[in-house]
């Protein structure tokens, strides 16, 4: 005897198992592919950090003042971006503050 206000549904899922498997594989492959392509490609970086990386790849000996002028931001903004990129292990300073170069690691 059914309980008032409740419905009972009986569904046969046997013909759905291949559909679910294919959908799961396709979604998993697509997500994995997209994540793989984006890892290390400026993911989680702001616009200034992306521009700093771009300019450092072109010329590794740019100063913060030169970067600030090229990107049209303050020197302090560049200094914060450089510090952030160092903390994220994206760039590294080789040599002294005066005569060193920036190396883009990844």
């Amino acid at each position: 005897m059914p309980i008032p206000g409740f419905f009972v549904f009986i569904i046969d899922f046997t013909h759905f198992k291949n559909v679910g498997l294919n959908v799961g594989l396709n979604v998993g492959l697509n997500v994995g592919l997209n994540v793989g392509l984006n890892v290390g490609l400026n993911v989680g970086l702001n616009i200034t950090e992306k521009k700093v990386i771009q300019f450092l790849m072109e010329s590794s000996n740019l100063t913060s003042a030169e970067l600030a002028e090229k990107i049209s931001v303050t020197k302090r903004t560049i200094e914060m971006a450089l510090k952030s990129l160092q903390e994220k292990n994206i760039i590294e300073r080789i040599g002294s503050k005066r005569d060193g170069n920036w190396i883009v690691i990844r």
Side-chain angles (χ1 to χ4, degrees):
M1 170 178 249
I3 302 172
F6 289 93
F7 297 95
V8 177
F9 295 97
I10 299 173
I11 302 172
D12 179 13
F13 288 103
T14 55
H15 65 282
F16 288 110
K17 66 182 175 185
N18 288 337
V19 172
L21 181 60
N22 289 337
V23 169
L25 284 175
N26 288 336
V27 168
L29 289 174
N30 289 337
V31 168
L33 179 62
N34 290 334
V35 168
L37 290 173
N38 289 325
V39 169
L41 299 176
N42 302 329
V43 175
L45 302 178
N46 65 38
I47 294 168
T48 302
E49 291 170 338
K50 290 177 185 179
K51 289 180 180 179
V52 166
I53 291 170
Q54 177 186 349
F55 283 113
L56 289 180
M57 289 175 73
E58 293 172 9
S59 178
S60 64
N61 61 346
L62 290 172
T63 65
S64 55
E66 292 168 333
L67 285 167
E69 185 178 328
K70 287 180 176 284
I71 300 173
S72 300
V73 295
T74 65
K75 184 179 170 197
R76 179 66 183 133
T77 299
I78 295 298
E79 290 167 351
M80 290 187 301
L82 291 171
K83 181 178 179 183
S84 173
L85 291 168
Q86 284 179 302
E87 290 171 353
K88 294 175 183 176
N89 293 320
I90 295 174
I91 63 171
E92 184 178 328
R93 182 73 176 180
I94 304 297
S96 69
K97 287 184 178 184
R98 180 183 166 118
D99 297 322
N101 290 314
W102 291 103
I103 304 296
V104 178
I105 299 170
R106 56 179 182 137

